[in-house]
Amino acid sequence: MSEPAIAQPEVSVVVPLFNEVESLVELERGIRESLTTLGLSYEIIFVDDGSVDGSFDAVAKLHSERPGIRAIRFRRNYGKAAALAFGFEAARGNFIVTMDGDLQDDPGEIGKLLARMDEGYDLVSGWKRQRQDPWTKRWPSRCFNWVTSRVSGIRIHDFNCGLKAYRKAVTREIAVYGELHRYLPVLAHWRGFRVAEVEVRHRERKYGRTKYGLQRFIRGFLDLLTVVMITRYTRSPLHLFGTTGIVLNLVGIIINSYLLILKFQHGDIQGRTPLLMLGVLLMMVGVQFVSIGLLGEMIARIQQSDERDYSVLETLD
Ligand SMILES: Nc1nc2c(ncn2[C@@H]2O[C@H](COP(=O)(O)OP(=O)(O)O)[C@@H](O)[C@H]2O)c(=O)[nH]1
Ligand SMILES: [Mg+2]
């Protein structure tokens, strides 16, 4: 990464990109115009995630022509979360704006997001209300957003929008990895940051093609499990697994006690073999769940991860 022209910009715009060569010049112009109009100093951090279409050459050209443009190129494709993690690490502004590199997000909306932050929010997410994508993307996405909103308890409509603004404290504290970038609002909310949403304009994809197919929704839901696990239960896995285990075990005990009574009364279990199997199965699975919970507790204790469990708002010394 080369020396930036502006040492401490107010806003860092992070653009993760993968094979978006045709869009970049227009995108840079859009961001420049938008932030110049707002009168904010900025830097743009392009994170090229192993593109093979010459995207990085285009970025390098922009870098040589304009101040405030920084760029990094990964050796191979690591995924959007890795690209964002790098951007967050590198960003020097107090506000960090992320946006897609495909021109579908409108740089003209950055001001709207930042204005919302001024109301005291720590993370403002875009909502592509009129989403300009085929229905094959829109419908699964709507379903995904609905479930995520229910499970996480944050009432926002669009978790997937690439256009988001963060205060530095948020990007400093939250680790993005795997595919967890979709859940940044959830993770932030759970740490006590204030999360809001604003409607943004979304445009049709002009160049290149989409990188995400249906498979991302399956992974997306698995990631939701991860998020629930890490936000609610990392520090106490026994609460999750132990409770389930004990309940299953109790049901098993009740069933088997009933069969035992039958056996005493009639000398046999009256052909209730399937019920016997269920009872035994429930008891065994219950014990396993409790054991998994205990193992989880041991791991949680040993690991003592670097990430702090809490987020500090203020201290008075
Ligand atoms: N860093 C990185 N960015 C990606 C990757 N896949 C897609 N992107 C970027 O994420 C943004 C959204 O991707 P896109 O294919 O348009 O998804 P869609 O808008 O949901 O159809 C674009 O800016 C892409 O360049 C990836 O593997 N790594
Ligand atoms: Mg797109």
Side-chain angles (χ1 to χ4, degrees):
M1 182 142 307
S2 61
E3 268 307 296
I6 304 151
Q8 165 78 62
E10 287 159 293
V11 181
S12 297
V13 182
V14 174
V15 182
L17 59 105
F18 181 50
N19 294 343
E20 305 287 4
V21 64
E22 300 101 326
S23 306
L24 296 170
V25 170
E26 212 171 312
L27 180 69
E28 189 274 336
R29 190 185 330 122
I31 297 173
R32 172 156 41 92
E33 284 170 3
S34 169
L35 286 155
T36 311
T37 313
L38 292 168
L40 295 169
S41 62
Y42 67 93
E43 61 180 358
I44 306 177
I45 305 174
F46 287 105
V47 187
D48 176 8
D49 191 11
S51 297
V52 290
D53 66 345
S55 287
F56 195 75
D57 298 332
V59 170
K61 186 156 179 292
L62 287 169
H63 167 77
S64 66
E65 289 168 359
R66 307 229 161 252
I69 292 187
R70 305 166 68 197
I72 173 103
R73 180 185 200 178
F74 285 167
R75 210 175 284 281
R76 64 166 173 84
N77 180 257
Y78 284 95
K80 201 170 177 177
L84 287 174
F86 179 87
F88 288 166
E89 187 75 31
R92 283 185 274 233
N94 288 325
F95 294 97
I96 290 102
V97 173
T98 59
M99 59 190 302
D100 284 356
D102 58 0
L103 289 173
Q104 288 194 268
D105 295 332
D106 181 354
E109 303 280 40
I110 293 175
K112 223 197 238 175
L113 296 184
L114 294 177
R116 198 71 204 272
M117 295 205 101
D118 276 345
E119 294 170 24
Y121 291 100
D122 301 303
L123 189 167
V124 177
S125 182
W127 172 18
K128 301 163 289 188
R129 186 160 200 177
Q130 307 285 336
R131 188 167 175 183
Q132 305 301 322
D133 278 317
W135 68 270
T136 46
K137 290 187 82 87
R138 286 200 322 265
W139 285 98
S141 191
R142 194 169 285 190
C143 164
F144 165 88
N145 283 319
W146 187 84
V147 175
T148 307
S149 169
R150 289 290 122 162
V151 173
S152 64
I154 336 182
R155 297 279 162 266
I156 70 176
H157 300 84
D158 188 356
F159 289 86
N160 270 325
C161 189
L163 185 57
K164 290 193 176 74
Y166 307 81
R167 266 176 221 281
K168 194 184 209 126
V170 182
T171 58
R172 277 283 119 92
E173 280 191 28
I174 293 177
V176 213
Y177 58 90
E179 305 269 310
L180 292 191
H181 56 277
R182 280 183 209 107
Y183 297 103
L184 280 165
V186 181
L187 296 169
H189 171 78
W190 276 89
R191 279 185 88 80
F193 289 110
R194 300 190 60 206
V195 177
E197 180 176 65
V198 289
E199 271 181 49
V200 294
R201 208 158 72 87
H202 189 242
R203 306 186 283 207
E204 239 167 277
R205 193 179 248 285
K206 213 153 95 182
Y207 311 104
R209 38 198 289 270
T210 177
K211 277 81 191 176
Y212 293 110
L214 255 187
Q215 34 97 354
R216 78 167 169 177
F217 290 102
I218 295 169
R219 293 209 208 138
F221 280 117
L222 289 177
D223 288 329
L224 185 58
L225 279 182
T226 310
V227 168
V228 170
M229 190 66 206
I230 59 184
T231 49
R232 296 189 202 180
Y233 296 112
T234 316
R235 299 299 164 189
S236 49
L238 193 55
H239 290 189
L240 174 66
F241 291 105
T243 316
T244 321
I246 288 171
V247 169
L248 293 180
N249 200 279
L250 276 180
V251 176
I253 288 176
I254 291 168
I255 290 175
N256 287 345
S257 309
Y258 165 67
L259 292 175
L260 200 64
I261 292 167
L262 280 186
K263 170 82 180 160
F264 277 127
Q265 284 178 343
H266 305 276
D268 60 42
I269 58 168
Q270 306 279 301
R272 291 194 170 75
T273 322
L275 194 62
L276 176 66
M277 289 169 82
L278 179 67
V280 173
L281 186 74
L282 285 176
M283 285 181 69
M284 281 169 52
V285 171
V287 170
Q288 278 182 343
F289 265 83
V290 175
S291 317
I292 290 171
L294 286 169
L295 279 178
E297 286 289 333
M298 287 167 73
I299 293 169
R301 205 132 322 240
I302 296 165
Q303 195 191 21
Q304 291 292 350
S305 79
D306 322 333
E307 199 189 332
R308 282 178 290 140
D309 283 22
Y310 47 84
S311 176
V312 177
L313 184 59
E314 282 178 67
T315 39
L316 297 176
D317 280 326

mmCIF file of all heavy atoms in Angstrom, residues 20 100 102-105 131 133 137 202-203 205 210-212, ligand 2:
data_model
loop_
_atom_site.group_PDB
_atom_site.id
_atom_site.type_symbol
_atom_site.label_atom_id
_atom_site.label_comp_id
_atom_site.label_asym_id
_atom_site.label_seq_id
_atom_site.Cartn_x
_atom_site.Cartn_y
_atom_site.Cartn_z
ATOM 1 N N GLU A 20 -14.549 -6.652 -11.700
ATOM 2 C CA GLU A 20 -15.480 -5.555 -12.015
ATOM 3 C C GLU A 20 -14.779 -4.489 -12.858
ATOM 4 O O GLU A 20 -15.034 -3.301 -12.698
ATOM 5 C CB GLU A 20 -16.006 -4.904 -10.724
ATOM 6 C CG GLU A 20 -16.662 -5.829 -9.727
ATOM 7 C CD GLU A 20 -18.047 -6.326 -10.143
ATOM 8 O OE1 GLU A 20 -18.489 -6.006 -11.258
ATOM 9 O OE2 GLU A 20 -18.649 -7.069 -9.342
ATOM 10 N N ASP A 100 -20.464 -1.826 -2.988
ATOM 11 C CA ASP A 100 -20.126 -2.807 -4.006
ATOM 12 C C ASP A 100 -19.351 -2.145 -5.135
ATOM 13 O O ASP A 100 -19.502 -0.952 -5.396
ATOM 14 C CB ASP A 100 -21.397 -3.449 -4.574
ATOM 15 C CG ASP A 100 -22.000 -4.460 -3.610
ATOM 16 O OD1 ASP A 100 -21.384 -4.710 -2.555
ATOM 17 O OD2 ASP A 100 -23.077 -4.995 -3.917
ATOM 18 N N ASP A 102 -19.728 -2.855 -8.277
ATOM 19 C CA ASP A 102 -20.366 -3.136 -9.566
ATOM 20 C C ASP A 102 -21.301 -2.021 -10.030
ATOM 21 O O ASP A 102 -22.078 -2.227 -10.958
ATOM 22 C CB ASP A 102 -21.142 -4.455 -9.483
ATOM 23 C CG ASP A 102 -22.200 -4.442 -8.380
ATOM 24 O OD1 ASP A 102 -22.327 -3.409 -7.696
ATOM 25 O OD2 ASP A 102 -22.884 -5.459 -8.200
ATOM 26 N N LEU A 103 -21.267 -0.873 -9.351
ATOM 27 C CA LEU A 103 -22.091 0.291 -9.695
ATOM 28 C C LEU A 103 -23.560 0.120 -9.356
ATOM 29 O O LEU A 103 -24.370 0.983 -9.657
ATOM 30 C CB LEU A 103 -21.981 0.653 -11.186
ATOM 31 C CG LEU A 103 -20.665 1.260 -11.660
ATOM 32 C CD1 LEU A 103 -20.696 1.391 -13.179
ATOM 33 C CD2 LEU A 103 -20.425 2.620 -11.032
ATOM 34 N N GLN A 104 -23.909 -1.002 -8.717
ATOM 35 C CA GLN A 104 -25.338 -1.159 -8.374
ATOM 36 C C GLN A 104 -25.708 -0.271 -7.200
ATOM 37 O O GLN A 104 -26.843 0.151 -7.059
ATOM 38 C CB GLN A 104 -25.660 -2.629 -8.082
ATOM 39 C CG GLN A 104 -25.644 -3.460 -9.352
ATOM 40 C CD GLN A 104 -26.288 -4.822 -9.136
ATOM 41 O OE1 GLN A 104 -25.609 -5.792 -8.811
ATOM 42 N NE2 GLN A 104 -27.583 -4.909 -9.305
ATOM 43 N N ASP A 105 -24.731 -0.011 -6.333
ATOM 44 C CA ASP A 105 -24.951 0.951 -5.254
ATOM 45 C C ASP A 105 -24.652 2.343 -5.786
ATOM 46 O O ASP A 105 -23.692 2.528 -6.528
ATOM 47 C CB ASP A 105 -24.012 0.672 -4.069
ATOM 48 C CG ASP A 105 -24.306 -0.662 -3.410
ATOM 49 O OD1 ASP A 105 -25.465 -1.102 -3.481
ATOM 50 O OD2 ASP A 105 -23.371 -1.248 -2.849
ATOM 51 N N ARG A 131 -35.301 -3.128 -5.465
ATOM 52 C CA ARG A 131 -34.107 -3.826 -5.875
ATOM 53 C C ARG A 131 -34.121 -4.160 -7.365
ATOM 54 O O ARG A 131 -35.063 -4.760 -7.870
ATOM 55 C CB ARG A 131 -33.971 -5.102 -5.050
ATOM 56 C CG ARG A 131 -32.666 -5.768 -5.287
ATOM 57 C CD ARG A 131 -32.368 -6.834 -4.296
ATOM 58 N NE ARG A 131 -31.115 -7.475 -4.710
ATOM 59 C CZ ARG A 131 -30.586 -8.502 -4.100
ATOM 60 N NH1 ARG A 131 -31.162 -9.006 -3.047
ATOM 61 N NH2 ARG A 131 -29.462 -9.016 -4.531
ATOM 62 N N ASP A 133 -32.836 -6.353 -9.471
ATOM 63 C CA ASP A 133 -32.248 -7.637 -9.791
ATOM 64 C C ASP A 133 -33.370 -8.562 -10.210
ATOM 65 O O ASP A 133 -34.529 -8.309 -9.915
ATOM 66 C CB ASP A 133 -31.541 -8.223 -8.546
ATOM 67 C CG ASP A 133 -30.141 -7.658 -8.340
ATOM 68 O OD1 ASP A 133 -29.410 -7.541 -9.341
ATOM 69 O OD2 ASP A 133 -29.792 -7.339 -7.196
ATOM 70 N N LYS A 137 -33.212 -13.606 -7.559
ATOM 71 C CA LYS A 137 -32.391 -13.099 -6.467
ATOM 72 C C LYS A 137 -33.254 -12.432 -5.409
ATOM 73 O O LYS A 137 -32.978 -12.523 -4.225
ATOM 74 C CB LYS A 137 -31.384 -12.056 -6.973
ATOM 75 C CG LYS A 137 -30.295 -12.622 -7.824
ATOM 76 C CD LYS A 137 -29.271 -11.560 -8.140
ATOM 77 C CE LYS A 137 -28.297 -11.401 -7.023
ATOM 78 N NZ LYS A 137 -27.178 -12.315 -7.107
ATOM 79 N N HIS A 202 -31.076 1.645 -5.867
ATOM 80 C CA HIS A 202 -30.303 0.509 -6.350
ATOM 81 C C HIS A 202 -30.405 0.497 -7.858
ATOM 82 O O HIS A 202 -31.437 0.826 -8.418
ATOM 83 C CB HIS A 202 -30.892 -0.780 -5.755
ATOM 84 C CG HIS A 202 -30.073 -2.001 -5.997
ATOM 85 N ND1 HIS A 202 -30.529 -3.070 -6.704
ATOM 86 C CD2 HIS A 202 -28.819 -2.309 -5.615
ATOM 87 C CE1 HIS A 202 -29.576 -4.010 -6.749
ATOM 88 N NE2 HIS A 202 -28.537 -3.567 -6.092
ATOM 89 N N ARG A 203 -29.301 0.165 -8.522
ATOM 90 C CA ARG A 203 -29.342 0.214 -9.979
ATOM 91 C C ARG A 203 -29.130 -1.164 -10.569
ATOM 92 O O ARG A 203 -28.586 -2.045 -9.928
ATOM 93 C CB ARG A 203 -28.236 1.170 -10.459
ATOM 94 C CG ARG A 203 -28.355 2.523 -9.789
ATOM 95 C CD ARG A 203 -27.393 3.524 -10.344
ATOM 96 N NE ARG A 203 -26.053 3.342 -9.862
ATOM 97 C CZ ARG A 203 -25.166 4.349 -9.775
ATOM 98 N NH1 ARG A 203 -25.494 5.580 -10.140
ATOM 99 N NH2 ARG A 203 -23.953 4.131 -9.346
ATOM 100 N N ARG A 205 -27.413 -3.998 -12.796
ATOM 101 C CA ARG A 205 -26.014 -4.278 -13.119
ATOM 102 C C ARG A 205 -25.773 -3.942 -14.586
ATOM 103 O O ARG A 205 -26.481 -4.436 -15.466
ATOM 104 C CB ARG A 205 -25.704 -5.742 -12.862
ATOM 105 C CG ARG A 205 -24.248 -6.065 -12.869
ATOM 106 C CD ARG A 205 -24.042 -7.543 -12.575
ATOM 107 N NE ARG A 205 -23.402 -7.771 -11.283
ATOM 108 C CZ ARG A 205 -22.116 -7.571 -11.068
ATOM 109 N NH1 ARG A 205 -21.341 -7.108 -12.024
ATOM 110 N NH2 ARG A 205 -21.596 -7.807 -9.886
ATOM 111 N N THR A 210 -23.148 -11.298 -12.016
ATOM 112 C CA THR A 210 -23.225 -11.528 -10.581
ATOM 113 C C THR A 210 -22.333 -12.700 -10.165
ATOM 114 O O THR A 210 -22.121 -13.630 -10.935
ATOM 115 C CB THR A 210 -24.678 -11.780 -10.139
ATOM 116 O OG1 THR A 210 -24.677 -12.062 -8.757
ATOM 117 C CG2 THR A 210 -25.299 -12.944 -10.892
ATOM 118 N N LYS A 211 -21.817 -12.593 -8.947
ATOM 119 C CA LYS A 211 -20.924 -13.647 -8.445
ATOM 120 C C LYS A 211 -21.628 -14.597 -7.507
ATOM 121 O O LYS A 211 -21.027 -15.525 -7.006
ATOM 122 C CB LYS A 211 -19.748 -13.029 -7.674
ATOM 123 C CG LYS A 211 -18.603 -12.565 -8.553
ATOM 124 C CD LYS A 211 -18.929 -11.240 -9.125
ATOM 125 C CE LYS A 211 -17.977 -10.810 -10.210
ATOM 126 N NZ LYS A 211 -18.436 -9.537 -10.775
ATOM 127 N N TYR A 212 -22.870 -14.274 -7.203
ATOM 128 C CA TYR A 212 -23.532 -15.101 -6.207
ATOM 129 C C TYR A 212 -24.725 -15.819 -6.791
ATOM 130 O O TYR A 212 -25.559 -15.223 -7.450
ATOM 131 C CB TYR A 212 -23.991 -14.240 -5.040
ATOM 132 C CG TYR A 212 -22.868 -13.658 -4.252
ATOM 133 C CD1 TYR A 212 -22.594 -12.303 -4.291
ATOM 134 C CD2 TYR A 212 -22.067 -14.478 -3.468
ATOM 135 C CE1 TYR A 212 -21.561 -11.761 -3.563
ATOM 136 C CE2 TYR A 212 -21.029 -13.946 -2.735
ATOM 137 C CZ TYR A 212 -20.778 -12.590 -2.780
ATOM 138 O OH TYR A 212 -19.758 -12.062 -2.065
HETATM 139 MG MG MG B 2 -24.414 -6.517 -7.456
#
